[in-house]
Amino acid sequence: MRTMSTTGLPLAADAGLDFSLPQQLTVILLCALTAFISHMALAVFNDGVRPFMLDFIHGRTTRSATTAVSFGLSAGFIFGLGAPMALSSGVLNPWLLFLPTDILGLLAPKKWLAPLLGAGWGAVVVFGLDGANEVAHDLPVDFLTAMQQMSTPILFLFTLFPVLAITKQFGRAWGAAAGAVELALVVMTMKLWPDIFAGALAMAIGVLLLIGLAVRRDLVQRKADRQAAAASGAVSEEAPDDDPMASLFSASATRLRRYLPLFMVLGAGVCVLAQMHIFGGGEATSFLIAKGQFSEAAQVDFYRVFGFVPLIATTALASGAYGIAGFTLVYPIGYLMPNPVLAAVVGAAVFALEVLALSSIGKVLGKLPSVRDSSEHLRNAITDSLHLAILFGSLMAANAMGGGLGILVVGGLYLLNEAMGRPVVRMAAAPTAVIIGGVLLNVLHWLDLFTPLKG
């Protein structure tokens, strides 16, 4: 039986991960390009690796040591989140494509070898995933179909991330008000526009409210500071010309601008991949793309941008290494483009503007501390909401494939991971437990110790 979405459309995973030739070539070439750019230390996808790139760029640490850092920070997301999400949704994601090319690019000792390794990984993805998908669906306990249970918790709990961010930054009263508004908007959307994702409008209002509150706080504080300075007769001091951070930021921005044509090609490639609708930039987005809800997917990834622009801009200026997906604006733009040619042109232009504007963005963020704080609260709220959604969805998948025994195995593996100090990162632990649990239930079936649930 094909699993149907809330819009009546089958999930992409039900049709397998069978890519057309242009799609295969796009993935392979993009993986080759991102591995090459990683080798050049111009950009990496993992935000946690980027701060380590400064020492590597200046020769204070070795390629092998930087590769080890990248692998340690990325492996859990690749195999515990990227691969399960792709197999369950039928849509590729950045953890599966770009985290491995971070590692392979840094690992390659020669410049020419990096794109070959990246292309090799792209080939593994486009040719290997479909085979793995078919094998998994043919098993007595089909854990991939069961993992599609994660879509509903991820989509609806993700809607609450602006409420969490507002509560943490501006207190319970504003948080309660935002929660009430979002709930009302979700109910209204489900009633009036049942064919669109119910959380889209709620997230938009929530993010706008957060940004509005942050800007208001900054403006009020700046006005108070000016009045206090005027009352005391003090004159504000400008930052000294020899500010070491300003010098570092300027050098990093100049280094990135020097490779602007290469970044434009990268932006074009990522935007074209998004336009092909075989790629989703996030957990919720992957399932929306799988259901054919491209405009809703664009909205979701657009709202995420506000949580990551300050982080990506500041780490890029501090380290001299940009993000593989830039500010991730090319994701929502790509979803909405009518054809790959236009997507390539627009993606290249967006990346050019981002790289050229880095210094200006850094200066603006320096004057808006509450907006910077909002970005951090947004990222933390996204992580918190998705952690609960993925855990809950994984337990639903466990119940679908094995009932109480499935919940025991998957929940037990998750709790064991927590007790052991999280050798698998928390976000990836539950999907990993579903896969391991699915394999174990199949083994028990073959030993005639477990009968798969019907339906």
Side-chain angles (χ1 to χ4, degrees):
M1 179 183 295
R2 290 161 70 86
T3 302
M4 306 302 289
S5 75
T6 55
T7 62
L9 297 171
L11 289 177
D14 296 330
L17 286 152
D18 188 15
F19 303 107
S20 66
L21 180 60
Q23 292 169 343
Q24 292 171 347
L25 291 176
T26 299
V27 172
I28 291 172
L29 291 174
L30 185 58
C31 285
L33 177 62
T34 53
F36 177 75
I37 289 175
S38 172
H39 174 87
M40 298 282 288
L42 291 173
V44 289
F45 180 76
N46 194 321
D47 295 321
V49 174
R50 201 171 301 117
F52 293 91
M53 298 302 291
L54 182 63
D55 286 340
F56 175 66
I57 291 169
H58 290 285
R60 293 191 290 266
T61 188
T62 63
R63 182 172 294 277
S64 59
T66 309
T67 303
V69 170
S70 181
F71 181 83
L73 293 175
S74 302
F77 288 101
I78 297 169
F79 301 108
L81 187 61
M85 287 294 297
L87 289 169
S88 60
S89 68
V91 176
L92 301 178
N93 58 69
W95 306 286
L96 183 64
L97 293 183
F98 301 146
L99 289 181
T101 57
D102 279 0
I103 299 168
L104 294 171
L106 290 170
L107 176 67
K110 300 293 183 181
K111 189 180 295 186
W112 58 267
L113 183 58
L116 292 181
L117 292 176
W121 176 254
V124 169
V125 170
V126 296
F127 296 118
L129 275 185
D130 191 43
N133 188 60
E134 291 180 0
V135 169
H137 282 306
D138 289 337
L139 292 173
V141 179
D142 183 359
F143 54 85
L144 291 186
T145 297
M147 288 182 73
Q148 292 173 7
Q149 297 284 334
M150 292 194 299
S151 64
T152 300
I154 287 175
L155 289 174
F156 281 88
L157 287 176
F158 184 74
T159 303
L160 292 173
F161 79 86
V163 176
L164 301 182
I166 290 171
T167 304
K168 290 181 178 180
Q169 186 171 9
F170 297 102
R172 299 175 184 176
W174 276 113
V181 169
E182 283 211 4
L183 177 60
L185 289 172
V186 168
V187 173
M188 182 183 72
T189 304
M190 295 177 74
K191 183 68 175 178
L192 300 178
W193 307 291
D195 292 334
I196 69 172
F197 171 48
L201 180 60
M203 277 189 286
I205 299 302
V207 171
L208 288 175
L209 178 59
L210 175 66
I211 294 173
L213 290 171
V215 171
R216 175 178 172 274
R217 175 179 285 183
D218 282 333
L219 293 178
V220 169
Q221 184 61 47
R222 290 179 65 183
K223 182 179 179 180
D225 291 343
R226 286 196 298 268
Q227 290 175 344
S232 63
V235 179
S236 61
E237 296 183 1
E238 297 291 335
D241 293 336
D242 59 348
D243 181 359
M245 288 305 295
S247 176
L248 174 62
F249 280 16
S250 176
S252 296
T254 301
R255 176 178 187 264
L256 294 175
R257 285 197 296 268
R258 194 159 58 242
Y259 293 94
L260 186 62
L262 190 59
F263 282 115
M264 292 176 69
V265 175
L266 175 62
V270 176
C271 199
V272 167
L273 182 66
Q275 190 277 332
M276 290 179 166
H277 299 151
I278 59 170
F279 173 90
E283 300 88 345
T285 315
S286 293
F287 287 108
L288 289 170
I289 293 291
K291 296 175 180 182
Q293 297 178 310
F294 307 129
S295 60
E296 288 87 345
Q299 291 179 61
V300 169
D301 271 354
F302 179 73
Y303 305 144
R304 288 174 66 112
V305 168
F306 295 102
F308 288 90
V309 166
L311 172 68
I312 294 169
T314 53
T315 55
L317 289 169
S319 68
Y322 198 40
I324 286 293
F327 293 148
T328 70
L329 272 171
V330 286
Y331 293 164
I333 291 172
Y335 304 148
L336 300 177
M337 288 291 103
N339 60 69
V341 175
L342 184 59
V345 173
V346 174
V350 168
F351 252 56
L353 291 174
E354 288 181 6
V355 172
L356 292 174
L358 269 177
S359 293
S360 299
I361 292 172
K363 292 176 182 177
V364 170
L365 291 174
K367 299 176 181 179
L368 298 172
S370 293
V371 173
R372 292 200 312 272
D373 291 344
S374 294
S375 169
E376 183 175 351
H377 286 299
L378 274 176
R379 292 196 309 276
N380 292 336
I382 288 171
T383 300
D384 290 343
S385 60
L386 286 175
H387 168 243
L388 177 60
I390 291 172
L391 175 59
F392 187 65
S394 297
L395 291 176
M396 290 173 63
N399 183 64
M401 70 184 183
L405 180 60
I407 292 175
L408 172 65
V409 172
V410 172
L413 288 171
Y414 178 86
L415 292 174
L416 181 62
N417 183 71
E418 290 285 305
M420 294 172 63
R422 298 177 193 153
V424 178
V425 291
R426 175 177 277 181
M427 189 76 76
T432 303
V434 173
I435 293 178
I436 295 174
V439 172
L440 179 58
L441 290 176
N442 277 290
V443 171
L444 291 176
H445 169 71
W446 290 325
L447 294 174
D448 200 24
L449 297 174
F450 171 73
T451 301
L453 301 181
K454 300 298 181 183

